Amino acid sequence: MTISRAAASRPVSAVYSRGFASVPSGTETYNKLYPEKSSDGVLRLGNIAPDFAADTTQGRMESFHSWLGDSWGILFSHPADFTPVCTTEIGRVALKYDWLMEHDCKIATLSVDPVDSHDAWLKDVVAHCENNIDIKFPIIADPDRSISVAYNMFDPGNLDDEGLPLTIRAVFIIDPEKKIKLILNYPASVGRNMDEICRCVEALQLSAKSSVATPANWPNNHESIGMKGSVFLLPTVTDEDAKAHFPKHKTCQVPSGKEYLRLVDKSEL
């Protein structure tokens, strides 16, 4: 198994302007606040996701970056096969697969077990899920933990510990430029909520496309002022660009007098 941190060298993806006029001080400016490279080897938001080659339940993946192509992607790790929480999570991922494909977002899951273990375990996953499901996404084998180490799922100093430690439950949402846009870490004892992960995908894509930020509890926000599902302009958007590209935006008045809560109805995007 090989690991490479080389970034995909191609122009800025059309996803940042697709279907919406480019805002000079918007998404592209905002993204520059997050460095592409880590100075200490710890992955952070904005960093290029490490590339790797690995065996999967759908055959050899020679390059994770190439497999992603121009799509958004999710790398979804689980501690081990034949564990109860992981079994339910893979089932829930399967139920969201079509939604993710509709939103141009590929998903791959990862476990430290080999492919033959994955294949046997998936029979249990399908049998246990209360819905009829097909596992249409690859499960990556990481028996030497090299991918897990590259993605900071545990300390490489523990690699030689007896029993080989389990990885955390990690979620990485990656944009078409191979940049990490969101990281979620859960302990092995807590299962993840796929509705929330899908909400995050939708919010990140909307932000990238339209230079906006989603408020807390979006899209169930600001209903009391008749703007349910509205979004904020990114902090980097200048007043000039706000007037030019979002002429109907509403600035919320607050005691500080600062005009930073600039709401836009989603229907205006």
Side-chain angles (χ1 to χ4, degrees):
M1 193 173 297
T2 56
I3 298 289
S4 169
R5 290 181 182 272
S9 57
R10 58 190 181 84
V12 175
S13 170
V15 74
Y16 295 126
S17 59
R18 186 183 303 152
F20 193 78
S22 178
V23 180
S25 59
T27 296
E28 192 166 353
T29 298
Y30 185 74
N31 283 346
K32 292 178 182 177
L33 300 176
Y34 297 89
E36 290 187 4
K37 296 180 179 180
S38 170
S39 62
D40 58 8
V42 177
L43 282 183
R44 296 183 176 88
L45 299 183
N47 291 174
I48 298 296
D51 198 9
F52 58 82
D55 294 322
T56 83
T57 53
Q58 294 185 354
R60 182 71 176 171
M61 182 184 287
E62 294 297 344
S63 166
F64 179 55
H65 283 189
S66 295
W67 178 80
L68 286 171
D70 292 330
S71 298
W72 287 73
I74 298 175
L75 181 62
F76 189 97
S77 77
H78 52 274
D81 298 347
F82 300 103
T83 54
V85 176
C86 298
T87 298
T88 59
E89 287 185 323
I90 296 300
R92 300 311 298 183
V93 171
L95 291 171
K96 292 294 186 180
Y97 179 82
D98 289 342
W99 185 95
L100 291 169
M101 292 301 100
E102 291 170 3
H103 286 75
D104 191 28
C105 185
K106 294 182 176 180
I107 185 164
T109 67
L110 176 147
S111 164
V112 297
D113 295 304
V115 170
D116 58 352
S117 174
H118 294 344
D119 288 335
W121 173 51
L122 288 180
K123 296 176 183 178
D124 290 356
V125 172
V126 172
H128 180 74
C129 188
E130 63 268 26
N131 304 84
N132 292 324
I133 59 170
D134 292 317
I135 310 299
K136 301 176 183 178
F137 47 89
I139 300 184
I140 297 164
D142 186 28
D144 66 358
R145 274 64 168 177
S146 58
I147 301 171
S148 300
V149 169
Y151 277 83
N152 302 143
M153 295 180 197
F154 65 74
D155 191 319
N158 294 330
L159 269 176
D160 295 328
D161 287 358
E162 184 177 352
L164 288 177
L166 297 179
T167 61
I168 57 176
R169 298 187 190 283
V171 178
F172 298 87
I173 299 181
I174 302 164
D175 77 2
E177 301 306 313
K178 311 301 181 289
K179 293 179 181 179
I180 298 173
K181 307 302 290 185
L182 179 144
I183 301 173
L184 295 172
N185 290 332
Y186 287 67
S189 59
V190 178
R192 287 157 287 193
N193 186 315
M194 277 305 299
D195 290 331
E196 170 61 9
I197 292 171
C198 289
R199 186 189 77 91
C200 290
V201 168
E202 189 170 9
L204 287 166
Q205 291 182 341
L206 180 63
S207 177
K209 171 189 171 186
S210 302
S211 297
V212 296
T214 54
N217 295 337
W218 180 85
N220 300 309
N221 59 287
H222 290 91
E223 187 172 8
S224 63
I225 61 171
M227 295 189 71
K228 182 178 180 180
S230 58
V231 293
F232 288 120
L233 299 186
L234 287 175
T236 55
V237 175
T238 63
D239 289 339
E240 181 181 12
D241 282 342
K243 292 175 183 177
H245 297 279
F246 307 93
K248 295 184 180 181
H249 78 273
K250 170 185 172 66
T251 301
C252 300
Q253 301 302 310
V254 289
S256 69
K258 297 181 183 294
E259 298 184 345
Y260 62 97
L261 296 169
R262 300 173 297 176
L263 281 173
V264 180
D265 193 293
K266 187 181 176 184
S267 65
E268 300 295 328
L269 300 179

